[in-house]
Amino acid sequence: MPITSPAFGCWVLRTPGSAYVVHLGGEDVPLTAHWGAPVDDDTALALARVPLGPGRGWESPLDGHEEYPSDRGLRFATPALALRFPDGQRTVRWRFVSASADGEHLRLVFAELTRAVRLVLHHRVAGDVVERWAELAAGEPVEVLRADSAAWCPPRREDYRLSSVHGRWAAEWQLRREPLGDGVVRLGSRRTTTSPMHNPWFALDDGTATETAGEVWSAALAWSGTWHIDVERQPAGRVVAAVGAGASFTLAAGEAHTTPVSAGLWTGDGFGSASRMWHRYLRERVMPSGAELRPVLYNSWEATGFRLDEANQLALAERAAALGCELFVMDDGWFGARVSDHAGLGDWTPNPDRFPTGLGPLVARVTELGMRFGIWVEPEMVNPDSDLYRAHPDWVYATPGYPRHELRNQLVLNLGRPEVAAWLHGWMDALLAGHDIAFVKWDMNRPVTDPGPDPSWSAAHTSALYAVLDRLRSDHPTVRFESCASGGGRVDPGILARTDQVWPSDNTDASDRLHIQEGFGQLYPARAMTAWVTDAPNFLTGNRLPLRFRFHVAMAGVLGIGGDLARWTPDEQAEAATRIAQYKRIRHVVQHGELHRLRSAARSTAPALAYALDDEVAVFQWLDGHRYGEPYVPPRLPFLPASTTWEDADTGARCTSAFLATHGLDAGMFRNHDSALTHLRRVP
């Protein structure tokens, strides 16, 4: 059973490979007794009965054990909950009321001793992970200064190491693993979205875990607005990680608040196992179309930029279809007075000079070519030079009496206003209803900088965005959405519950992308990761990488083409058609298979990875920064089932699993920027 209760006040949540034990401790507070390897009920109960210790002066025995610590009483850890009542009281103390377990879902209900406030802590088994969130109900007015989703308490170890991803625009997803020092490490974002700088995910280990071995505790937050993760190493040596959305707000009597979901998992088999568990969870439990295969797309941005019109889009569509692309996406510049980034955002009707009879002829021709049609939008933004802004200047975020700040010549619409959210849904609904559109690239190119006096603006914006997307998906169930925010600025399990893929970075340089995609894959599956092949030299780095190398990097995700096809030589077009056809033969393995990172791009000039699904494996190898023409070491494939034989689907060559696990898969590479893709099939 997913949830058992071996005794009053003790509950065991079981995933296929782990156990999570929560119990009531002193003062009726819920404590984490165990988060790790599977245990039976008797062992779980014994773990729950282990004394916390007396606590030394200046310390609390609750710290590092408590599932949802408040900021008052005998506790000094970073609080998950902080309340303030109108009379100034901030102390809260909970009385346990009841517990209920419904299938995979445990609810623990508490009431405040002297105030009319109730707290429900939720735990739910969801595949390999445990989902947690909290619900507050106010019977009297209360100011909520902080209400996190969960405080995660891994067991005590001799040491700890923290893994996270950091970066900036065009350098997102840089994986960092470093010893966890004393005190608090804060990860987070105040940029309206999850941001390119950090992502709401972390992993902890004792400093000895590898890709294939060792205990790893990991958690993430399903929220696309302001957020924080406070990882605290306490004086007594324990660690607690408080995870939540970073907004304060006030509840009136009769109102309630539910936090976003935070999901956590444990594995004893290293970082690779943790990633595979996250990928399964996101594909099977979170993403709305996780079982589908994503099409090969072509995007027109890097070919035409703001110079697009019906004629050049038709010409690009002809070329993209000839290569085997399945989805044609027209990017920025199709609407209003949008001939540069100075004007037009907010006026979402086709530019009459560029599309004299609307989008219909282009959509029809794309369909005739055997492709679906997709379109770029940036619905949350407005240019001051637009009809929308001239009609509704009060719709943007602004602080009365203060100068406003523009970025990219644009302002952000206040989605927290119901009339703004209704307008956004209205024109998007009309656009999708009036055209055969299969795909929407939803972009956001700047954060909010002048939100005004409402402290809950970020939560209101994110909630309104979710509501619009949910309604659009319901009304247009065949349309698929991509989340983009100047690249990877809005990627998290919350947005992935409403979109079908994400754009990890505006940086399409294949060498840089090896590092970006490695960090992205710590949490997110290849099924969600759009990856383009673009022109050489790359617009950002100037690198001139071989087309084969660029394709092999992009084929490790959801393949897209973003170059100016009119400039590609006949040989390049022929090679592109061959690579696209090859990708279609292996994309089910890439998009739904289990990822095995064979060699890290951060530590090797010969990175390699594999995806395995049933009786097929796709192995990618690259030489990147390789010097002196030294022979490279073939990557080994130790994950293949023992005593099996595998055949190269392209050459017919056969090898045993023992050979591939010991010698490795030799692709004959030696020059810098050589690359290879090998498709293996198990021989019956």
Side-chain angles (χ1 to χ4, degrees):
M1 296 177 62
I3 301 176
T4 59
S5 182
F8 174 79
C10 181
W11 300 270
V12 186
L13 292 85
R14 292 185 174 87
T15 75
S18 70
Y20 188 96
V21 182
V22 58
H23 72 107
L24 295 179
E27 300 188 6
D28 267 5
V29 295
L31 306 176
T32 305
H34 174 71
W35 183 20
V39 295
D40 59 27
D41 277 2
D42 290 342
T43 304
L45 189 57
L47 289 167
R49 290 173 173 168
V50 173
L52 299 182
R56 300 177 180 178
W58 301 88
E59 297 177 13
S60 168
L62 294 174
D63 288 348
H65 299 273
E66 195 172 358
E67 293 246 306
Y68 208 68
S70 62
D71 69 337
R72 290 293 188 270
L74 187 58
R75 51 181 63 84
F76 307 104
T78 301
L81 180 68
L83 304 179
R84 181 165 55 203
F85 295 91
D87 61 3
Q89 177 181 322
R90 293 186 59 171
T91 297
V92 295
R93 182 164 175 176
W94 300 108
R95 172 178 56 84
F96 176 67
V97 175
S98 66
S100 62
D102 178 13
E104 298 177 330
H105 189 173
L106 172 66
R107 299 170 181 84
L108 304 178
V109 182
F110 302 85
E112 214 284 321
L113 285 182
T114 65
R115 297 287 189 165
V117 178
R118 289 171 71 89
L119 171 68
V120 183
L121 297 181
H122 297 264
H123 299 69
R124 182 170 59 198
V125 176
D128 295 312
V129 314
V130 173
E131 295 178 329
R132 293 178 56 192
W133 68 99
E135 182 181 354
L136 275 172
E140 61 179 294
V142 59
E143 185 180 2
V144 182
L145 304 175
R146 177 168 178 153
D148 288 353
S149 299
W152 295 98
C153 303
R156 184 169 183 174
R157 293 293 184 262
E158 292 184 359
D159 205 353
Y160 297 96
R161 177 173 54 177
L162 175 65
S163 297
S164 62
V165 288
H166 67 98
R168 55 179 174 77
W169 176 79
E172 302 92 334
W173 311 104
Q174 304 303 300
L175 179 62
R176 173 178 291 166
R177 289 200 170 110
E178 56 190 8
L180 181 64
D182 296 325
V184 178
V185 174
R186 165 160 280 206
L187 310 173
S189 169
R190 296 174 55 244
R191 289 176 167 84
T192 317
T193 67
T194 48
S195 93
M197 288 69 186
H198 293 287
N199 197 257
W201 162 87
F202 72 92
L204 286 164
D205 74 295
D206 67 358
T208 66
T210 66
E211 187 68 20
T212 57
E215 289 188 296
V216 176
W217 296 264
S218 184
L221 180 67
W223 185 245
S224 308
T226 298
W227 62 274
H228 57 251
I229 295 175
D230 292 329
V231 185
E232 181 177 6
R233 185 166 185 166
Q234 299 170 339
R238 296 190 66 93
V239 166
V240 60
V243 179
S248 61
F249 52 91
T250 298
L251 291 178
E255 291 185 333
H257 171 75
T258 301
T259 72
V261 168
S262 179
L265 62 82
W266 170 90
T267 178
D269 297 319
F271 296 111
S273 172
S275 292
R276 290 187 288 276
M277 294 164 75
W278 280 123
H279 298 171
R280 284 194 296 271
Y281 166 69
L282 291 167
R283 286 195 310 263
E284 298 171 8
R285 301 276 182 154
V286 175
M287 298 177 68
S289 61
E292 293 180 358
L293 288 176
R294 301 304 304 137
V296 178
L297 68 82
Y298 176 80
N299 183 287
S300 66
W301 172 250
E302 293 197 16
T304 56
F306 289 113
R307 300 181 307 278
L308 64 77
D309 56 31
E310 183 176 298
N312 62 34
Q313 296 300 290
L314 284 170
L316 287 168
E318 300 272 357
R319 294 177 181 273
L323 298 182
C325 294
E326 301 159 308
L327 173 65
F328 179 86
V329 183
M330 180 171 62
D331 213 281
D332 195 356
W334 59 271
F335 53 90
R338 189 70 167 173
V339 296
S340 71
D341 65 7
H342 287 73
L345 283 175
D347 301 336
W348 298 102
T349 55
N351 182 301
D353 295 328
R354 296 175 169 188
F355 299 93
T357 58
L359 301 181
L362 175 60
V363 176
R365 181 55 182 154
V366 167
T367 304
E368 289 174 4
L369 291 168
M371 298 185 295
R372 302 301 306 276
F373 182 79
I375 198 164
W376 178 96
V377 295
E378 193 173 3
E380 299 155 79
M381 300 291 157
V382 64
N383 287 121
D385 185 3
S386 68
D387 293 339
L388 177 69
Y389 182 79
R390 284 184 282 271
H392 299 286
D394 57 322
W395 279 12
V396 301
Y397 287 104
T399 302
Y402 286 82
R404 70 184 184 204
H405 298 86
E406 293 180 18
L407 289 173
R408 205 171 179 254
N409 307 299
Q410 62 194 56
L411 301 167
V412 188
L413 293 167
N414 184 349
L415 291 195
R417 297 179 59 159
E419 67 273 28
V420 178
W423 164 86
L424 192 162
H425 173 267
W427 73 258
M428 279 290 300
D429 179 63
L431 178 68
L432 297 177
H435 303 86
D436 187 12
I437 293 173
F439 179 86
V440 174
K441 184 180 180 73
W442 188 300
D443 207 346
M444 183 183 188
N445 279 307
R446 64 152 292 177
V448 175
T449 52
D450 304 290
D454 184 359
S456 62
W457 67 268
S458 177
H461 189 106
T462 303
S463 297
L465 170 71
Y466 284 176
V468 169
L469 283 169
D470 289 344
R471 188 174 173 190
L472 289 172
R473 292 198 74 102
S474 176
D475 294 341
H476 305 278
T478 63
V479 177
R480 299 295 175 254
F481 291 81
E482 178 179 276
S483 173
C484 175
S486 295
R490 184 155 59 196
V491 180
D492 60 87
I495 202 68
L496 273 179
R498 296 161 173 88
T499 57
D500 305 276
Q501 59 198 62
V502 296
W503 181 232
S505 178
D506 284 345
N507 186 345
T508 59
D509 179 274
S511 179
D512 286 351
R513 270 290 183 131
L514 286 172
H515 300 264
I516 289 168
Q517 294 178 186
E518 182 173 291
F520 181 92
Q522 299 297 314
L523 175 60
Y524 302 104
R527 165 65 178 70
M529 182 178 69
T530 313
W532 290 0
V533 178
T534 56
D535 292 333
N538 182 268
F539 83 96
L540 182 68
T541 66
N543 282 344
R544 294 179 177 271
L545 300 174
L547 186 61
R548 175 189 182 98
F549 189 94
R550 285 177 271 151
F551 258 100
H552 284 156
V553 172
M555 290 165 74
V558 175
L559 177 61
I561 313 298
D564 185 356
L565 299 182
R567 295 170 49 201
W568 288 23
T569 68
D571 286 346
E572 288 174 325
Q573 293 177 45
E575 181 174 354
T578 298
R579 300 293 170 209
I580 291 171
Q582 184 184 27
Y583 179 74
K584 291 177 180 178
R585 294 194 295 272
I586 56 100
R587 67 173 151 188
H588 62 290
V589 182
V590 172
Q591 295 184 22
H592 295 291
E594 299 222 313
L595 170 65
H596 297 267
R597 290 182 287 263
L598 307 177
R599 273 200 297 257
S600 167
R603 297 188 298 275
S604 173
T605 61
L609 58 84
Y611 295 99
L613 180 66
D614 299 329
D615 293 333
E616 294 182 87
V617 178
V619 183
F620 292 86
Q621 303 181 55
W622 301 272
L623 293 185
D624 186 49
H626 204 62
R627 296 180 180 276
Y628 312 119
E630 293 285 348
Y632 83 111
V633 178
R636 295 181 295 114
L637 280 59
F639 58 87
L640 298 176
S643 303
T644 54
T645 300
W646 297 80
E647 180 178 271
D648 187 319
D650 296 310
T651 68
R654 293 188 174 188
C655 293
T656 65
S657 56
F659 180 87
L660 293 169
T662 54
H663 174 75
L665 181 64
D666 193 338
M669 302 189 301
F670 68 94
R671 292 186 181 90
N672 193 30
H673 298 132
D674 276 353
S675 61
L677 166 59
T678 307
H679 180 197
L680 298 175
R681 292 193 178 116
R682 183 172 175 174
V683 178

